[in-house]
Amino acid sequence: MKLEQLLEGVSYTLVQGSLELDIEDIIYDSRKAAPGRLFVCIVGTQRDSHDYAAQCVADGVTALVVQHDIDLSTVPGAAVLKVESSRYALALMSGNLFGNPSRRMTMIGVTGTKGKTTTTHMIKSVLEAAGRKVGMIGTNGIYFLGHHQETANTTPESYELQKTFREFLDAGCDTALMEVSSQGLMMDRVAGIHYDIGVFTNLSPDHIGPGEHKTFEEYRSWKGQLFKRCTTGVVNIDDENTEALLEGHTCKLVTYGCSEKADYRAGTYQLLRTHDFLGVRFHVSGKDDMDVKVNMPGEFSVYNALAALTVGKVLGLPDEAIHEGLSRCVVKGRVELVPISRKFTILLDYAHNEVSTESLLTTLRAYAPHRLVVVFGCGGNRSKLRRYGMGEICARMADFSILTEDNNRFEKVEDILADIRVGMNKGNPDAKFVEIPDRLDALHYAVDHAQEGDLIAVIGKGHETYRDREGVKTPFLERELLEEYARQIGLE
């Protein structure tokens, strides 16, 4: 592609060189420098890649995009273009490079503090039940038509994002569904993308600190940018931040929630539990009238399901698809049931901090189990406050706790467990617990000592497929390990 074509829609100044150059690819990692490539210099939180421009030209790159002036004598022969924001330029150029694939699919973006991953999976399940071919991007990775890839970020960098959209389109996808993080919006990863539907789940303080957002207000403002980049906004009317987040929005709004003002509103919900099902049933009124059954527990599942249902209604999907999608949806590592016994219920969840743990245990306690048992640990080389907090919550809310490893990294598991004990003693000095440092042994212990009617939550790792012991990652998929152990001991 000619450099001039690559720059379509980008405001720039040609500092030196020609626009008639052929560009084979775009890079923003100097280690990938090679002839025929354009290197985008980005000012990051840790380093400024303008410092690598001269070396990239020495390694053969054809052109440079810069955000501030550089010494042109060090980059002879290369075309140099100056832009106001190199990240924004990278996003637009990446779209041009891959043929702007997002313009040829239905685009759905989901933002919020909690529930993004579960909501996107529910929407995907509903869409696929209606016969749509869906590509999905988020915390759990990239999924499309039987393929799965891991991602480094919830919202990938713009180049990888546009490349993925191209893969979706070439594979036959008609819909791209993604989690849109505040960082993804702030760092222009989704610049140039217009969404047919933007979804808002809820908002609470998160991602505030060095290298992220300076204040909660800034965090909220960036979340709200999605609703200046979509045609229809599907929003939770019950959240106290909704009005402020939507300030200046340019989209049509369709609301969901429990409020009488909601377009699609849920009434009182009923908890459902069997040996192989943990979910809710509720009635929807407002712009429609239907009963809904969801294969996930708790009030937050009602809200997530309402969001998915509303998206389905906006797209004109049949009720049958909405019912089927919501009743069958399973999200790896998000209150994921592992039906290995009729005697007790065991599930996996990604809860890995005080807030998410309290939310999960509150939800599970509502199902009135014989005992609420939690298997958990905390990551190494991270704040001890999380260990104290999770210990305190589990001691106060669980009937029995099994303390174990969870990505200890370069810390001793025993030291991490000692910190958790401090929190447990604060939460409930009489709390019942056992320490089993090896996580596999802890899983076996939980199964071996389960009592009739127990609800056992294995939290922290969720959908992860490895465990990190002393810096070495080894395969560790908890669902498969639990199923294998149940077969070994003949569990019924």
Side-chain angles (χ1 to χ4, degrees):
M1 179 179 287
K2 294 293 184 184
L3 178 56
E4 187 173 23
Q5 294 174 298
L6 200 63
L7 291 163
E8 184 178 347
V10 180
S11 297
Y12 64 90
T13 299
L14 180 62
V15 178
Q16 74 175 28
S18 168
L19 297 178
E20 293 301 312
L21 301 172
D22 289 316
I23 303 296
E24 297 176 4
D25 202 0
I26 301 170
I27 61 170
Y28 57 92
D29 182 340
S30 61
R31 294 168 296 184
K32 297 180 180 180
R37 295 182 176 180
L38 178 150
F39 178 56
V40 181
C41 302
I42 292 174
V43 179
T45 56
Q46 302 296 323
R47 59 178 60 89
D48 185 346
S49 64
H50 289 74
D51 296 339
Y52 304 99
Q55 185 58 52
C56 283
V57 172
D59 291 336
V61 298
T62 303
L64 300 170
V65 169
V66 300
Q67 187 171 307
H68 59 71
D69 294 335
I70 60 172
D71 183 355
L72 296 177
S73 68
T74 66
V75 291
V80 178
L81 303 110
K82 188 176 180 181
V83 297
E84 183 177 343
S85 167
S86 53
R87 285 189 180 277
Y88 186 81
L90 172 64
L92 268 56
M93 290 189 297
S94 296
N96 292 335
L97 179 69
F98 292 106
N100 292 301
S102 66
R103 299 176 186 175
R104 298 165 61 186
M105 295 183 287
T106 298
M107 298 296 299
I108 304 173
V110 180
T111 199
T113 303
K114 296 179 289 186
K116 294 190 300 297
T117 299
T118 301
T119 300
T120 52
H121 277 75
M122 285 184 173
I123 295 171
K124 179 175 182 286
S125 186
V126 167
L127 288 167
E128 290 179 338
R132 303 287 288 263
K133 295 181 178 179
V134 184
M136 183 173 71
I137 304 170
T139 304
N140 281 6
I142 296 169
Y143 294 86
F144 66 104
L145 307 183
H147 299 278
H148 176 241
Q149 305 167 16
E150 296 295 334
T151 56
N153 300 304
T154 296
T155 306
E157 187 54 81
S158 59
Y159 176 92
E160 282 72 27
L161 194 57
Q162 294 291 344
K163 183 179 180 181
T164 299
F165 290 155
R166 184 76 248 176
E167 290 174 348
F168 287 173
L169 191 62
D170 290 346
C173 293
D174 52 52
T175 305
L177 167 66
M178 64 180 291
E179 297 178 45
V180 183
S181 66
S182 57
Q183 290 286 93
L185 287 157
M186 183 176 74
M187 301 178 77
D188 284 326
R189 294 173 187 162
V190 295
I193 300 171
H194 182 81
Y195 295 90
D196 295 281
I197 298 177
V199 181
F200 169 59
T201 59
N202 53 68
L203 200 73
S204 57
D206 199 6
H207 299 292
I208 299 168
E212 295 187 284
H213 300 286
K214 295 178 182 178
T215 63
F216 174 71
E217 289 73 22
E218 181 188 288
Y219 171 60
R220 183 177 62 200
S221 177
W222 279 111
K223 288 285 190 187
Q225 288 297 310
L226 178 62
F227 302 96
K228 299 176 183 179
R229 307 182 188 189
C230 68
T231 300
T232 302
V234 170
V235 299
N236 175 5
I237 198 172
D238 294 343
D239 192 276
E240 63 181 6
N241 287 289
T242 298
E243 184 176 355
L245 180 136
L246 291 173
E247 185 177 352
H249 75 85
T250 57
C251 61
K252 172 187 175 183
L253 294 178
V254 182
T255 61
Y256 67 90
C258 296
S259 166
E260 286 296 319
K261 297 179 181 179
D263 294 318
Y264 295 92
R265 57 181 177 270
T268 303
Y269 61 89
Q270 177 187 0
L271 303 177
L272 304 174
R273 180 188 177 190
T274 65
H275 74 283
D276 61 354
F277 187 90
L278 195 69
V280 294
R281 179 189 289 125
F282 60 94
H283 183 76
V284 176
S285 58
K287 286 191 173 182
D288 213 310
D289 190 83
M290 66 166 68
D291 290 314
V292 177
K293 181 180 177 182
V294 185
N295 188 30
M296 290 180 194
E299 183 180 27
F300 57 83
S301 294
V302 173
Y303 276 94
N304 295 339
L306 274 174
L309 179 150
T310 305
V311 169
K313 288 295 182 180
V314 169
L315 292 175
L317 304 183
D319 287 353
E320 294 78 8
I322 294 173
H323 287 303
E324 181 181 347
L326 293 179
S327 64
R328 294 187 179 183
C329 181
V330 175
V331 185
K332 288 184 178 181
R334 299 302 197 276
V335 285
E336 179 187 2
L337 205 66
V338 186
I340 58 175
S341 174
R342 292 180 177 274
K343 172 182 169 184
F344 59 86
T345 303
I346 189 166
L347 58 87
L348 310 176
D349 193 84
Y350 187 59
H352 60 287
N353 59 36
E354 183 177 352
V355 173
S356 57
T357 299
E358 183 173 21
S359 175
L360 174 68
L361 298 187
T362 299
T363 295
L364 299 182
R365 178 61 73 186
Y367 285 82
H370 171 63
R371 291 189 311 166
L372 179 55
V373 179
V374 60
V375 181
F376 77 104
C378 288
N381 303 111
R382 296 294 188 270
S383 171
K384 291 189 176 186
L385 294 177
R386 178 175 293 182
R387 304 170 194 178
Y388 303 149
M390 287 185 67
E392 182 176 349
I393 290 296
C394 291
R396 181 160 49 84
M397 300 188 68
D399 296 303
F400 187 75
S401 298
I402 303 172
L403 280 55
T404 188
E405 64 178 318
D406 187 345
N407 293 353
N408 57 297
R409 298 182 178 87
F410 298 102
E411 278 194 79
K412 292 181 179 180
V413 177
E414 292 75 13
D415 292 342
I416 297 173
L417 299 187
D419 289 333
I420 294 174
R421 284 200 306 273
V422 173
M424 296 196 71
N425 187 60
K426 179 181 178 182
N428 179 8
D430 298 320
K432 297 178 181 179
F433 67 94
V434 64
E435 294 182 33
I436 304 176
D438 186 276
R439 195 171 179 96
L440 184 58
D441 290 343
L443 294 179
H444 291 174
Y445 182 94
V447 172
D448 292 340
H449 292 79
Q451 298 178 14
E452 185 83 31
D454 279 357
L455 211 169
I456 304 170
V458 181
I459 69 173
K461 292 186 72 66
H463 65 285
E464 292 182 15
T465 57
Y466 66 86
R467 62 175 169 177
D468 192 341
R469 304 180 67 186
E470 298 179 355
V472 178
K473 293 181 179 180
T474 55
F476 196 86
L477 189 59
E478 291 180 322
R479 183 185 184 94
E480 292 180 359
L481 291 168
L482 286 165
E483 291 171 339
E484 179 183 351
Y485 186 62
R487 288 191 294 269
Q488 288 177 1
I489 65 175
L491 194 63
E492 295 182 354

